[in-house]
Amino acid sequence: MSADTAQRPVLVVDFGAQYAQLIARRVREAGVFSELVPHSITRAEVEAKDPVAMILSGGPSSVYAEGAPTFDTTIFDLGIPTLGICYGFQVMAQALGGEVANTGLREYGATDATLVGDGGVLLGGQPAAQNVWMSHGDQVRKAPEGFQVLASTAATPVAAFGNAESCLYGVQWHPEVKHSDFGQRVIENFLHKAAGLPSDWNSGNVIDEQVARIREQVGSARVISALSGGVDSAVSTALVHRAVGDQLTAVFVDHGLLRKGEREQVEKDYVESTGVRLITVDAADTFLGHLKGVTDPEQKRKIIGREFIRAFEKVQRELVDEAKAEGEPIRFLVQGTLYPDVVESGGGAGTANIKSHHNVGGLPEDLDFELIEPLRTLFKDEVRAIGRELGIPEAIVGRQPFPGPGLGIRIIGEVTRERLEILREADAIAREELTKAGLDGDIWQCPVVLLADVRSVGVQGDGRTYGHPIVLRPVSSEDAMTADWTRLPYDVLSKISNRITNEVSEVNRVVLDVTSKPPGTIEWE
């Protein structure tokens, strides 16, 4: 979904803002496709992408500071409808002849803004007084010539401006955050009323576009996919299968560290719903053999990653030989890369051959395949929507993020079959009760951790016990970069605790982790 498709993007220009990805999400929530680009983008690169609009993000710098993010201001001459936010608002004001100054008056957090006149097309139809979310030290003191002041605050005389003729607008506050009462309305007014863009971007046209693109890319060649059972690999595999059918073979490695019922769910429910040809590699004995006696978490991760590579390589060689015999080579590998992965790795121009792989456990560098990444422009919630459109079971589409090393890093201590069974049962109970309570949409994930090297005294059945503690780690997050512990209802916590201590042998205590990230990580290991 780049400039060569029917869906031209709204470019979100990132000036180092913590909310840049959030702006891109808000644009998509308004039914318009968006793409995040760095502030260093050139005029020629913008022209090549042929955007329908641009949004300039905020950022932590002052426009006057040495080394502050710069922008090719000749891009404003292209006539692209543009909205500036915070730092982007000040970049626009300064470039177009306005005045930006540090007056010593700063605004952080909730701020009262007042519309000037009717607020123009950008703020029209909103209350004259509203609460907005500010985070700035500099102010636009004077709007560029030809621009109408649309809003002000006690400290900022020009808190929003606009030029309807050139379709250039800006706000000092952050409309992308929920703390700004009418923030989404501002973004929608810019997109639909000012720029005249329709609200027609959705999961259905993503599927149609990607199916056509994949068919053109693959031709008659064969494709393989490493299926983990998680959302990303499940949806990317199903999307490619929709495009090329039996030319695709999915490989599922059962390393013995899966959650309860996960293998059966993939082999039965997923295959039945998609028709994907699946090869399952039963490697539990191998993985557990290499993990025997290992307690260091980093060593566990390396062992699991290494053995995954070996298991995948073995099947890959067999499939390549089979394909050669049939005259159709395997040329492509499906990768479940999402847009946050691309952004976090520096914007990701992409590469034809695989060099490294973080989505399916770290594939070897010499797997010389071309990549198919049908989800690389999408966020997780968009991927879930596409999965539902493709008919993937909700139990898979709605699944919480799960680490590649599986339960191996949720056992603090040595990984054994007995300990895995204890943790599987406890994890299954926690997930079942959260689903029953309708809380799956309120939490990002809830790791269940077994403190295998810790025992505590308990009383069960009028007798003394000496069992393991289980830790519940429910967290809420938008992107997993930061997280806070989820305030689950006490009755739900009580039910989970009672069931685990009654139904899972060797467990006599359940504790709740109430640490945010930072300082703690989401997973314990």
Side-chain angles (χ1 to χ4, degrees), residues 216-260:
E216 182 179 357
Q217 180 183 6
V218 171
S220 60
R222 299 269 292 275
V223 184
I224 60 172
S225 174
L227 184 64
S228 70
V231 178
D232 305 342
S233 68
V235 175
S236 59
T237 299
L239 190 51
V240 173
H241 183 262
R242 172 73 65 91
V244 301
D246 290 342
Q247 291 170 241
L248 170 71
T249 300
V251 179
F252 178 59
V253 177
D254 182 357
H255 46 32
L257 308 171
L258 301 169
R259 289 171 288 193
K260 185 176 181 179

Side-chain angles (χ1 to χ4, degrees), residues 335 337 342 345-355 371 373 376:
Q335 180 169 312
T337 308
V342 176
S345 61
T351 179
N353 292 332
I354 187 165
K355 300 301 180 186
L371 296 182
E373 299 176 300
R376 67 180 283 114

Side-chain angles (χ1 to χ4, degrees), residues 196-361:
L197 303 178
S199 178
D200 60 358
W201 188 82
N202 55 54
S203 59
N205 55 40
V206 171
I207 292 172
D208 292 341
E209 288 180 7
Q210 286 300 324
V211 164
R213 176 175 292 184
I214 292 164
R215 285 175 179 164
E216 182 179 357
Q217 180 183 6
V218 171
S220 60
R222 299 269 292 275
V223 184
I224 60 172
S225 174
L227 184 64
S228 70
V231 178
D232 305 342
S233 68
V235 175
S236 59
T237 299
L239 190 51
V240 173
H241 183 262
R242 172 73 65 91
V244 301
D246 290 342
Q247 291 170 241
L248 170 71
T249 300
V251 179
F252 178 59
V253 177
D254 182 357
H255 46 32
L257 308 171
L258 301 169
R259 289 171 288 193
K260 185 176 181 179
E262 201 159 23
R263 173 170 172 170
E264 295 79 6
Q265 197 174 65
V266 171
E267 290 182 322
K268 184 176 184 297
D269 299 341
Y270 182 76
V271 170
E272 284 183 1
S273 66
T274 61
V276 169
R277 179 194 177 198
L278 179 69
I279 294 176
T280 299
V281 181
D282 192 345
D285 290 343
T286 301
F287 277 79
L288 291 177
H290 286 287
L291 288 169
K292 186 175 182 180
V294 178
T295 59
D296 178 73
E298 190 57 30
Q299 192 177 355
K300 286 183 193 176
R301 288 179 179 272
K302 288 180 178 178
I303 290 170
I304 295 167
R306 181 193 71 209
E307 294 307 314
F308 179 93
I309 290 171
R310 289 177 176 172
F312 188 85
E313 279 183 315
K314 183 175 183 298
V315 177
Q316 172 253 332
R317 286 192 295 268
E318 293 170 355
L319 289 172
V320 166
D321 291 341
E322 175 189 309
K324 284 179 180 177
E326 295 177 1
E328 289 293 351
I330 296 179
R331 288 178 44 210
F332 298 95
L333 173 69
V334 180
Q335 180 169 312
T337 308
L338 303 193
Y339 199 44
D341 301 329
V342 176
V343 173
E344 288 171 11
S345 61
T351 179
N353 292 332
I354 187 165
K355 300 301 180 186
S356 62
H357 200 301
H358 60 278
N359 291 353
V360 291

Side-chain angles (χ1 to χ4, degrees), residues 301 401 403 410 444-449 472-484 513 515-525:
R301 288 179 179 272
R410 291 184 178 175
W444 175 265
Q445 66 187 115
C446 183
V448 178
V449 181
L472 303 179
R473 173 72 165 134
V475 296
S476 299
S477 178
E478 280 207 347
D479 54 14
M481 301 301 292
T482 61
D484 194 12
D513 182 347
T515 314
S516 63
K517 175 189 178 182
T521 55
I522 292 177
E523 298 288 346
W524 272 48
E525 289 202 342

Side-chain angles (χ1 to χ4, degrees), residues 346-414:
T351 179
N353 292 332
I354 187 165
K355 300 301 180 186
S356 62
H357 200 301
H358 60 278
N359 291 353
V360 291
L363 295 180
E365 294 182 359
D366 60 353
L367 282 183
D368 191 21
F369 296 123
E370 292 180 53
L371 296 182
I372 300 175
E373 299 176 300
L375 309 179
R376 67 180 283 114
T377 60
L378 304 176
F379 291 97
K380 178 76 80 173
D381 57 331
E382 296 165 343
V383 171
R384 294 189 199 278
I386 289 172
R388 293 182 180 103
E389 190 90 10
L390 290 168
I392 298 174
E394 185 62 30
I396 294 176
V397 171
R399 176 171 290 167
Q400 296 174 6
F402 188 59
L407 298 179
I409 59 167
R410 291 184 178 175
I411 294 175
I412 310 303
E414 182 185 4

Side-chain angles (χ1 to χ4, degrees), residues 38-54:
H39 65 86
S40 57
I41 192 168
T42 65
R43 174 173 173 150
E45 288 170 335
V46 169
E47 289 180 298
K49 289 182 180 291
D50 192 22
V52 290
M54 289 192 306

